């Protein structure tokens, strides 16, 4: 088991956002969490990447290590968990090149970094054309590619993706998901969070349904696609 | 005309002090969205550290058989003072500001004022109430350039300042640490997701700002060799003005604004009685800010960022 989450609870101030989540992800797996606005999808990812404090009693184990012992930057650099946050988190004042290099900040293997960057260019040739451009001037889709490219470089045991389809035209979206499949084939597990439930369920092999801070369903994503309740609530009937 | 050039030379020297201090203010503000109101006192501490290092080195040189040239002692003093004051800055960040990351910004501002008072009274307690006399490290030489008097000290001060500013500029533009600082200025929350230790970058920012303040303190001691524990207050406020005038986190802006402050002050004093100098000088700056509320190079930036 790659990532095991037990009894995960998170509150913002006094307001609980997640209450006792249990889920897991296996090596190389693609898992999705679907849910409505405000269900707590982004919060779940933030908890794993240690961006938010978790409540006492929460437990997260990553490759048999206690995740909660690692500060946020070490979660990335030592465990290889990368998080593409909601809204992409591009540094608009930095060039594409600088954004990519920043994601290699903690890496000491310069030669490998170079290879990874050219691999990113293979996957997203558009980024190569924009290499020296300020990333704030990239289109939304290009920014999404850059965000995924950065995650690819900073470590890739598992990628936490927060709504990568957001704001992308259908064709571009297909390209992005094809690229993600490729990255997955090279060994990275993926935890995908999506409001676009159909897309997420088609992409993932397994899925969880999150409702106001609790997981209410889990299973094979093909089965969930056929589930009458999921259909009614998330797939538009 | 000679009066003009004479003032220009003086303005460059004052501008160097202001700019070096303003850079620390501006960087901390840019990277951490925090006004370090103790920064003027950090400059003062830097001046005292320079004083101690310079005194010690002079004594050492006098005791030894080999004579160390004055300018070598001066350079050593600047380097040592910058490093020691950087440590002071790191401690201030760690003890004073880091625990307040999630606190309202007003708490951080008040913390800054308190740290300032602690530094002032701390230096007072350790060094005593009498003013410290900065040792004269280099012989003053005055050059007469067509009626304009330029001292070797003034040239040295301006040159050292410019070298430091260029070095800072290159550091921020070219190194991965500088890149991380710029990224942090844009969006603090995402930086750790890149595997970048945000706390280290915060400490580094304080270290650099405090180091630059120490260089200003040392250069000030060379030019005006009398130090007292409250000398940082007015300098701090003026450098703060320069940092705002330059625009949030802008290195070029803080530098130019620092020099501009020096120019305005000196040239106002040329025309008006010296008692009215700051009154008029800062009225002018207030006027500039009404027209450019974000300063020279600041962008209207949403304040979504936090320390
Ligand atoms: N920084 C915050 N402070 C306070 N409450 C927050 C904060 N972030 C999220 N919340 C609340 O926590 C709950 C879960 O939010 P979260 O962002 O995880 O939802 P989500 O499932 O990602 O929603 P969406 O699909 O709209 O992105 C919501 O009720 C939200 O209002
Ligand atoms: Mg969300």
């Amino acid at each position: 088991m790659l990532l095991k989450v037990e009894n995960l609870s998170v509150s913002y101030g006094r307001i609980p956002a997640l209450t006792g989540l249990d889920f897991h992800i296996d090596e190389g797996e693609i898992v999705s969490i679907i849910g409505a606005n405000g269900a707590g999808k982004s919060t779940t990812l933030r908890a794993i990447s240690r961006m938010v404090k978790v409540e006492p009693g929460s437990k997260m184990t990553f490759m048999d290590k206690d995740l909660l012992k690692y500060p946020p930057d070490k979660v990335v650099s030592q465990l290889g968990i990368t998080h593409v946050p909601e809204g992409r988190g591009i540094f608009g004042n930095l060039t594409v090149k600088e954004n990519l290099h920043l994601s290699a900040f903690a890496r000491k293997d310069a030669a490998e970094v170079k290879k990874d960057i050219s691999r990113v260019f293979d996957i997203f040739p558009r980024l190569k054309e924009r290499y020296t451009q300020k990333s704030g001037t990239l289109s939304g889709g290009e920014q999404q590619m850059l965000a995924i490219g950065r995650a690819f470089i900073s470590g890739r045991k598992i990628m936490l993706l927060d709504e990568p389809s957001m704001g992308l035209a259908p064709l571009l979206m297909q390209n992005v998901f094809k690229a993600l499949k490729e990255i997955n084939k090279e060994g990275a597990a993926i935890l995908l969070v999506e409001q676009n439930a159909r897309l997420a369920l088609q992409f993932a092999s397994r899925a969880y349904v999150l409702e106001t801070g609790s997981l209410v369903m889990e299973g094979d994503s093909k089965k969930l696609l056929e589930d009458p309740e999921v259909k009614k609530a998330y797939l538009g009937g | 005309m000679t009066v003009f050039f004479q003032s220009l030379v003086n303005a460059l020297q004052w501008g160097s002090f202001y700019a070096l201090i303003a850079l620390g203010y501006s960087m901390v503000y840019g990277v951490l969205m925090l006004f370090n109101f103790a920064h003027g006192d950090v400059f003062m501490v830097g001046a005292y550290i320079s004083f101690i290092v310079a005194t010690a080195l002079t004594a050492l040189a006098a005791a030894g058989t080999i004579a160390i040239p004055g300018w070598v002692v001066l350079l050593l003093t600047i380097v040592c003072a910058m490093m020691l004051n950087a440590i002071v800055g790191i401690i201030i960040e760690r003890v004073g500001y880091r625990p307040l990351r999630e606190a309202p910004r007003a708490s951080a501002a008040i913390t800054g004022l308190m740290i300032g008072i602690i530094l002032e009274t701390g230096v007072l307690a350790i060094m005593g109430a009498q003013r410290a006399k900065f040792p004269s490290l280099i012989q003053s030489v005055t050059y007469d350039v067509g009626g304009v008097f330029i001292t070797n000290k003034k040239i040295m001060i301006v040159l050292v300042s410019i070298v430091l500013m260029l070095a800072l500029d290159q550091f921020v533009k070219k190194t991965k640490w500088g890149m991380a600082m710029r990224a942090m200025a844009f969006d603090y929350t995402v930086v750790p997701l890149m595997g970048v230790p945000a706390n280290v970058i915060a400490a580094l920012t304080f270290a650099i700002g405090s180091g630059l303040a120490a260089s200003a303190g040392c250069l000030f001691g060379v030019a005006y060799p009398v130090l007292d524990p409250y000398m940082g207050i007015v300098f701090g406020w003026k450098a703060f003005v320069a940092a705002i005038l330059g625009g949030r986190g802008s290195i070029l802006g803080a530098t130019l604004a620092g020099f501009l402050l020096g120019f305005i002050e000196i040239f106002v004093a040329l025309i008006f009685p010296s008692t009215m100098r700051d009154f008029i000088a800062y009225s002018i700056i207030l006027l500039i800010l009404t027209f450019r509320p974000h300063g020279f190079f600041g962008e209207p930036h949403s304040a979504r960022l936090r320390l």
Side-chain angles (χ1 to χ4, degrees):
Chain A
M1 206 175 292
L2 187 65
L3 173 70
K4 189 174 163 75
V5 175
E6 291 164 278
N7 192 32
L8 173 64
S9 301
V10 174
S11 300
Y12 292 106
R14 286 228 191 84
I15 305 157
L18 300 178
T19 45
L21 263 53
D22 293 297
F23 63 95
H24 72 273
I25 295 159
D26 285 327
E27 200 100 30
E29 213 184 1
I30 301 182
V31 174
S32 173
I33 298 178
I34 59 172
N37 286 115
K41 304 183 295 296
S42 299
T43 305
T44 306
L45 298 192
R46 282 186 211 125
I48 299 170
S49 60
R50 309 280 283 114
M51 287 173 82
V52 291
K53 267 213 188 79
V54 301
E55 296 289 304
S58 307
K59 220 179 132 197
M60 292 192 277
T61 343
F62 187 78
M63 297 172 75
D64 300 321
K65 294 189 186 90
D66 182 359
L67 187 67
L68 293 170
K69 288 223 171 77
Y70 291 76
D73 62 292
K74 300 285 190 298
V75 166
V76 182
S77 59
Q78 290 181 2
L79 299 180
I81 299 176
T82 56
H83 180 177
V84 180
E86 203 166 22
R88 304 174 187 121
I90 293 298
F91 300 110
N93 60 338
L94 269 51
T95 62
V96 170
K97 177 182 177 185
E98 289 175 324
N99 267 283
L100 291 173
H101 277 95
L102 191 67
S103 65
F105 187 90
R107 287 182 58 173
K108 305 254 167 355
D109 49 343
E112 287 298 309
V113 169
K114 224 170 163 182
K115 267 191 217 154
D116 284 349
I117 290 180
S118 53
R119 184 79 189 93
V120 168
F121 289 153
D122 287 345
I123 302 171
F124 301 118
R126 190 80 70 87
L127 290 181
K128 193 170 187 174
E129 296 160 26
R130 303 273 184 271
Y131 197 45
T132 53
Q133 189 173 323
K134 277 257 187 306
S135 56
T137 61
L138 295 178
S139 77
E142 290 163 347
Q143 289 191 3
Q144 191 61 264
M145 297 175 197
L146 179 55
I148 294 169
R150 282 193 320 194
F152 181 80
I153 291 164
S154 56
R156 68 203 99 103
K157 276 276 163 211
I158 183 168
M159 278 190 182
L160 315 175
L161 304 170
D162 200 336
E163 316 238 7
S165 73
M166 183 105 96
L168 299 191
L171 189 66
L172 193 57
M173 195 172 73
Q174 278 176 16
N175 284 341
V176 166
F177 275 84
K178 217 164 75 196
L180 288 173
K181 255 287 158 28
E182 253 178 82
I183 294 172
N184 170 252
K185 284 217 187 82
E186 288 169 26
I190 289 177
L191 177 56
L192 172 72
V193 149
E194 268 289 345
Q195 267 190 64
N196 185 338
R198 185 178 305 277
L199 178 74
L201 292 176
Q202 282 165 351
F203 183 67
S205 57
R206 219 154 46 78
Y208 294 87
V209 180
L210 187 61
E211 241 175 59
T212 53
S214 311
L215 292 173
V216 292
M217 237 189 269
E218 74 158 290
D220 186 88
S221 52
K222 302 292 165 298
K223 289 216 178 79
L224 286 176
L225 267 172
E226 301 304 322
D227 185 279
E229 281 195 39
V230 173
K231 266 188 171 164
K232 192 161 148 253
Y234 299 104
L235 302 172
Chain B
M1 210 52 196
T2 50
V3 178
F4 173 80
F5 281 109
Q6 188 65 57
S7 301
L8 196 68
V9 172
N10 295 337
L12 276 174
Q13 173 180 291
W14 277 98
S16 300
F17 300 144
Y18 290 149
L20 283 175
I21 306 170
L23 282 170
Y25 244 121
S26 186
M27 282 175 67
V28 167
Y29 176 39
V31 175
L32 300 164
M33 279 309 265
L34 168 94
F35 291 123
N36 174 18
F37 285 126
H39 193 59
D41 297 298
V42 171
F43 156 74
M44 178 274 295
V45 170
Y48 269 90
I49 291 177
S50 307
F51 160 74
I52 293 168
V53 172
T55 310
L57 285 178
T58 321
L60 221 61
T65 41
I66 33 158
I68 310 172
W71 61 269
V72 175
V73 177
L74 176 64
L75 269 184
L76 274 176
T77 303
I78 294 182
V79 172
C80 290
M82 286 179 77
M83 292 199 295
L84 291 172
N85 218 36
I87 296 172
V88 172
I90 290 171
I91 294 171
I92 290 175
E93 191 275 331
R94 183 69 192 84
V95 177
Y97 290 115
R98 197 179 298 178
L100 297 177
R101 288 265 165 92
E102 302 301 323
R105 296 293 77 190
S107 309
I110 292 186
T111 299
L113 296 176
M114 289 189 299
I115 293 171
I117 293 172
I118 291 169
L119 292 177
E120 288 156 21
T121 49
V123 169
L124 187 69
I126 296 168
M127 304 299 293
Q130 81 280 14
R131 299 177 148 207
K133 178 89 178 60
F134 204 89
S136 147
L137 299 174
I138 45 175
Q139 277 295 318
S140 198
V141 183
T142 308
Y143 310 101
D144 181 346
V145 185
V148 180
F149 294 105
I150 306 176
T151 64
N152 57 342
K153 286 183 179 173
K154 280 185 184 152
I155 295 174
M156 186 275 296
I157 287 169
V158 175
L159 276 183
V160 170
S161 307
I162 290 174
V163 167
L164 287 173
M165 290 164 199
L166 291 177
L168 175 68
D169 182 62
Q170 287 302 300
F171 179 83
V172 170
K173 279 196 187 130
K174 298 279 164 69
T175 68
K176 71 172 188 177
W177 300 94
M179 202 158 73
M181 290 166 85
R182 283 182 287 136
M184 200 132 138
F186 191 82
D187 190 344
Y188 173 81
T189 58
V190 186
V191 164
L193 298 185
M194 304 292 109
V196 179
N199 283 336
V200 176
I201 306 298
L204 177 69
T205 308
F206 266 82
I208 292 176
S210 306
L212 291 172
S215 72
C218 182
L219 297 174
F220 182 82
V222 170
Y224 303 92
V226 182
L227 313 179
D228 80 89
Y230 300 102
M231 63 188 267
I233 298 174
V234 174
F235 266 100
W237 287 117
K238 289 182 175 176
F240 175 48
V241 170
I244 296 296
L245 194 60
R248 173 177 168 247
S250 166
I251 290 177
L252 182 63
T255 307
L256 292 181
F259 280 110
L260 182 72
L261 240 62
F263 282 96
I264 293 180
E265 280 188 13
I266 297 280
F267 281 95
V268 166
L270 203 61
I271 303 165
F272 298 98
S274 66
T275 45
M276 292 179 64
R277 186 192 71 182
D278 282 2
F279 170 71
I280 295 174
Y282 288 88
S283 302
I284 294 173
I285 287 160
L286 192 64
L287 204 66
I288 299 177
L289 273 176
T290 15
F291 289 107
R292 285 203 71 90
H294 298 287
F296 298 149
F297 298 101
E299 285 138 41
H301 203 295
S302 62
R304 74 203 150 87
L305 311 171
R306 305 184 57 186
L307 173 65

